[in-house]
Amino acid sequence: MTTTRTPKVSERVAPKPADPQPAKKKHGDDDDGPDFRTLLHAWLESHRASLADSLRRLGKQPIGSFFTCLVMAVALSMPMGLSLLLKNVEKLGGSWQRAAQISLYLKLDAGSREGEALRDEIKGMPGVADALYVSREQALEEFQQQSGLGEALRELPDNPLPGVVVVTPTEVDKPALEALRQRLSELPRVEVAQLDLLWVERLAAILKLGDRFVFGLAVMLISALLLVIGNTIRLHIENRRTEIEVIKLVGGTDAYVRRPFLYMGALYGLGAGLLAWGILAFGLNWLNEAVVGLSGLYGSDFALGGVPVSDGLSLLIGAVLLGYIGAWIAVARHLNELAPR
């Protein structure tokens, strides 16, 4: 009789296979997300698409976009034009050092040698940029030409005009000039030391007033420009309200929504800056014809300068920044209202 062996319960149960070990990550796997190059490419592509979209939308409304830029350009050109005119007035006034010259009238018995020696002595003094000696004969000749009394002056027995030493200071500072005048008046052979600084002070006061006026006007017009660009961007936002709500509904970020409008504001500013530069160049050239004719009547060759390249570039950059800031303010105000309902 054959005995049959019954397997144990533990032997009837199949052994459970061992759990597979997780595979080790290899160096260089991208399980953590895209690399920096991919992110940068996506960021640049997003900006390119936003810029292209802004250009396309502005191109669909060429007349409205042009007039918006034109209004901004007129507002930008006014303070810049006044600032350029003030600079030309300063140039017309001449050098400040020459405007504040000190005239030393010598005694009548002082000869040319004494006058030239005094001139050389004054040139070496601190605070003096230059000194020029005008002899009695030269002074009489210039007075005859400028006064038109040549025949009458020739009848005089003696030359009544003294020699003059014209001193040009290194800087225009009223206390320093007064101290220099006092020091020069004490020199030998000097009869009178005259400093006529009144008209220089008046011109400086007028220019200072003009600078303040230009600054106040610029602040007012910049505020108006921010309102104009903000209202324009607000209209664009209202026209795209449904589209923006859908974008935010599917997970679009605020930066993604804001980006096209910022480009639009910068493009408005760029167009306004270019137009303002052209308006200033044309306006100064048109006004220069009358200025040249007027200065010619006074025997002067003064002419208005054009728009310097540095000032034009500053105007252009400032206009772009104003458009960008105005668009940012407008979008920031309405971004919370664009949340999907």
Side-chain angles (χ1 to χ4, degrees):
M1 181 175 180
T2 305
T3 303
T4 305
R5 179 177 176 271
T6 305
K8 297 179 179 180
V9 176
S10 59
E11 295 177 353
R12 291 199 303 262
V13 179
K16 186 177 179 180
D19 294 335
Q21 295 293 330
K24 294 183 179 180
K25 291 184 179 180
K26 296 181 180 180
H27 182 69
D29 287 349
D30 295 333
D31 293 341
D32 294 336
D35 57 2
F36 175 76
R37 180 177 299 180
T38 304
L39 293 175
L40 178 62
H41 178 74
W43 182 80
L44 293 176
E45 182 62 24
S46 177
H47 278 268
R48 186 201 63 79
S50 298
L51 177 59
D53 180 70
S54 299
L55 287 171
R56 180 177 57 82
R57 292 180 183 274
L58 292 178
K60 286 184 177 180
Q61 300 176 346
I63 297 178
S65 301
F66 173 77
F67 279 105
T68 300
C69 292
L70 184 61
V71 170
M72 296 175 62
V74 172
L76 286 170
S77 60
M78 291 180 64
M80 178 63 76
L82 290 176
S83 178
L84 291 175
L85 287 177
L86 287 177
K87 289 181 180 180
N88 282 276
V89 171
E90 291 181 0
K91 185 173 63 176
L92 177 62
S95 173
W96 293 107
Q97 286 76 16
R98 295 188 60 84
Q101 288 176 338
I102 301 175
S103 299
L104 304 179
Y105 297 96
L106 308 182
K107 296 181 179 180
L108 290 177
D109 58 352
S112 297
R113 290 185 178 179
E114 293 175 318
E116 293 175 355
L118 183 62
R119 176 200 62 192
D120 296 336
E121 179 183 354
I122 293 174
K123 280 186 176 181
M125 296 177 64
V128 176
D130 193 14
L132 175 65
Y133 172 67
V134 181
S135 64
R136 299 180 62 189
E137 293 75 14
Q138 291 176 339
L140 180 61
E141 183 179 355
E142 292 178 2
F143 184 73
Q144 288 175 346
Q145 294 176 354
Q146 296 178 5
S147 65
L149 302 176
E151 296 297 332
L153 292 175
R154 290 190 183 95
E155 300 297 329
L156 295 176
D158 296 320
N159 183 2
L161 301 180
V164 181
V165 177
V166 181
V167 181
T168 302
T170 55
E171 61 178 352
V172 179
D173 180 69
K174 189 175 181 179
L177 287 174
E178 186 60 33
L180 178 62
R181 187 200 67 81
Q182 183 65 29
R183 189 165 66 250
L184 293 174
S185 65
E186 298 173 356
L187 293 175
R189 315 303 294 175
V190 175
E191 184 72 24
V192 177
Q194 181 178 352
L195 171 63
D196 186 11
L197 199 59
L198 181 60
W199 78 273
V200 178
E201 295 176 344
R202 290 174 178 173
L203 179 59
I206 292 174
L207 293 176
K208 185 177 181 180
L209 177 62
D211 289 336
R212 291 196 175 186
F213 177 76
V214 170
F215 178 77
L217 181 63
V219 171
M220 293 177 59
L221 291 178
I222 287 174
S223 302
L225 285 175
L226 291 176
L227 292 176
V228 169
I229 192 65
N231 186 65
T232 303
I233 296 300
R234 183 184 65 82
L235 293 178
H236 285 284
I237 293 174
E238 291 296 330
N239 292 334
R240 301 175 60 181
R241 173 178 286 272
T242 304
E243 176 186 348
I244 294 172
E245 290 179 350
V246 172
I247 292 175
K248 298 195 73 174
L249 185 63
V250 298
T253 62
D254 291 344
Y256 181 82
V257 174
R258 186 188 298 116
R259 189 174 299 131
F261 299 105
L262 297 182
Y263 273 112
M264 192 171 295
L267 289 174
Y268 274 124
L270 178 62
L274 292 174
L275 285 175
W277 197 343
I279 290 173
L280 287 175
F282 174 79
L284 290 176
N285 185 46
W286 173 74
L287 187 62
N288 194 36
E289 298 179 1
V291 172
V292 169
L294 179 62
S295 62
L297 297 177
Y298 288 92
S300 174
D301 57 351
F302 173 75
L304 292 176
V307 182
V309 178
S310 58
D311 290 345
L313 292 177
S314 300
L315 175 65
L316 201 60
I317 295 173
V320 173
L321 289 177
L322 280 176
Y324 184 89
I325 294 172
W328 182 282
I329 294 174
V331 177
R333 287 184 57 190
H334 297 280
L335 197 60
N336 294 330
E337 303 175 2
L338 300 176
R341 294 186 295 271

